[in-house]
Amino acid sequence: MKRSLLLVALMALSLGATKAQVVFAHPWMQKRVAYFGDSITDPRNDGSKQKYWHFLQEWLGITPYVYAVSGRQWNDIPRQADKLHTEHGDSVDAILIFIGTNDYNNGIPLGEWYEEKDEQVMYAHGGKPKSLVDRKRRYLKMDEGTYRGRINVALDKVKRMYPAKQIVLLTPIHRAQFYRSEKNWQCTEDYTNRIGIYIDEYINAVKEAGNIWAVPVIDMNAVSGLYPMMDEHAQYFKDADTDRLHPNDKGHERMARTLYYQLSTLPCTF
């Protein structure tokens, strides 16, 4: 894919002797995009020289505002949002949030999306006059000590701060071994974390958040094709023996190619 690729032909129609071709520009072309996340997005991480957002910048002319920091978890997203707002205000078109693998590694409890309370509410139906009825009502749990609570806190802030902007969630990708040092030795994803939970549940929670908060989710765990649990896929990661957590340049290019087409199905501005 060359930088000169500016248009994507999506549909060609042929009706008898009449031919029509409909061509659309990629909706994220020349846009300003903020990237929130962890080491996979952090430009200072040495797993690769080019990150996925570098490739999108090259191919689509995107202006990247990158606030990701290595090792951070979902509870850092409000801070990243504040920094974006301080530096750029409303001058951003879309926000991509790509985080969660460190919540899994640190054993953050999943928690619940809601808490329920018994309340009364006015209601009328079937021709009867309105009256107070007993109902259960749910409230979003803003619990920074749990994974779902952290997502609630983060998206509540970002959607209030940027109500007219596109916000897209990316699920964590598959992860294998990461052996940084004797004090930072992370096992492969086929083991539970220290509280007995597999990474799958953290990934599924991001998908659930899409429905709860009305934000699109790109399931990078599935669609990126990166599977470091196989030796054959070590070619996409920093080091076959010590780091199959961080994609290398080749891995980031594969993620970027996937995002190029996934993002083409989503509006960037409204």
Side-chain angles (χ1 to χ4, degrees):
M1 193 177 302
K2 305 295 185 181
R3 186 184 291 109
S4 60
L5 179 58
L6 299 179
L7 298 176
V8 180
L10 297 181
M11 180 174 61
L13 300 177
S14 178
L15 298 174
T18 303
K19 293 183 179 180
Q21 187 176 40
V22 181
V23 179
F24 295 96
H26 195 293
W28 293 62
M29 184 75 66
Q30 303 293 331
K31 295 300 191 288
R32 302 158 299 180
V33 180
Y35 298 90
F36 298 165
D38 51 34
S39 58
I40 294 178
T41 305
D42 188 345
R44 294 157 294 194
N45 180 267
D46 63 2
S48 63
K49 293 180 180 179
Q50 283 195 293
K51 310 301 181 194
Y52 64 91
W53 51 266
H54 282 120
F55 289 104
L56 294 176
Q57 180 182 18
E58 177 183 349
W59 300 336
L60 293 173
I62 286 174
T63 300
Y65 304 147
V66 184
Y67 294 96
V69 179
S70 293
R72 297 303 172 92
Q73 304 167 34
W74 261 100
N75 60 350
D76 193 55
I77 296 302
R79 183 199 63 80
Q80 295 180 32
D82 282 334
K83 192 171 182 182
L84 168 65
H85 196 266
T86 297
E87 295 183 356
H88 296 285
D90 201 49
S91 298
V92 62
D93 296 306
I95 299 168
L96 267 60
I97 304 177
F98 190 11
I99 202 165
T101 196
N102 293 311
D103 298 80
Y104 155 77
N105 184 58
N106 282 274
I108 303 303
L110 289 170
E112 301 294 335
W113 292 115
Y114 303 102
E115 60 180 337
E116 286 186 333
K117 295 182 180 180
D118 292 320
E119 295 188 5
Q120 288 190 316
V121 64
M122 196 69 70
Y123 180 75
H125 182 69
K128 296 180 180 179
K130 66 180 182 181
S131 61
L132 285 173
V133 296
D134 295 323
R135 294 287 175 89
K136 287 189 178 295
R137 184 179 184 182
R138 64 186 185 185
Y139 293 85
L140 288 163
K141 293 193 73 169
M142 301 296 175
D143 181 1
E144 294 188 357
T146 70
Y147 189 65
R148 291 188 176 102
R150 289 176 170 188
I151 295 175
N152 280 341
V153 171
L155 293 183
D156 181 76
K157 183 180 186 72
V158 176
K159 283 183 72 74
R160 290 181 191 278
M161 185 178 286
Y162 291 106
K165 307 299 182 180
Q166 178 67 281
I167 301 164
V168 182
L169 305 184
L170 278 58
T171 67
I173 59 174
H174 286 275
R175 51 178 291 157
Q177 67 267 24
F178 178 64
Y179 306 148
R180 171 72 71 172
S181 68
E182 291 297 319
K183 294 185 178 180
N184 190 359
W185 195 275
Q186 301 179 28
C187 51
T188 54
E189 68 174 29
D190 48 353
Y191 291 93
T192 62
N193 61 13
R194 62 183 177 81
I195 60 171
I197 302 176
Y198 289 105
I199 193 171
D200 310 53
E201 296 192 51
Y202 293 84
I203 291 164
N204 287 335
V206 177
K207 299 178 192 179
E208 293 168 4
N211 284 312
I212 291 169
W213 286 98
V215 291
V217 177
I218 299 176
D219 186 1
M220 293 298 287
N221 188 69
V223 300
S224 72
L226 298 178
Y227 193 64
M229 297 294 288
M230 287 181 173
D231 289 343
E232 291 81 358
H233 281 249
Q235 62 182 298
Y236 292 109
F237 292 84
K238 180 184 177 183
D239 187 277
D241 297 321
T242 63
D243 189 351
R244 296 196 200 179
L245 173 62
H246 299 103
N248 56 21
D249 284 11
K250 187 176 180 180
H252 274 277
E253 182 178 3
R254 182 161 179 165
M255 287 197 298
R257 288 186 182 277
T258 298
L259 285 170
Y260 181 95
Y261 290 100
Q262 293 289 315
L263 292 173
S264 73
T265 67
L266 296 172
C268 186
T269 56
F270 300 98

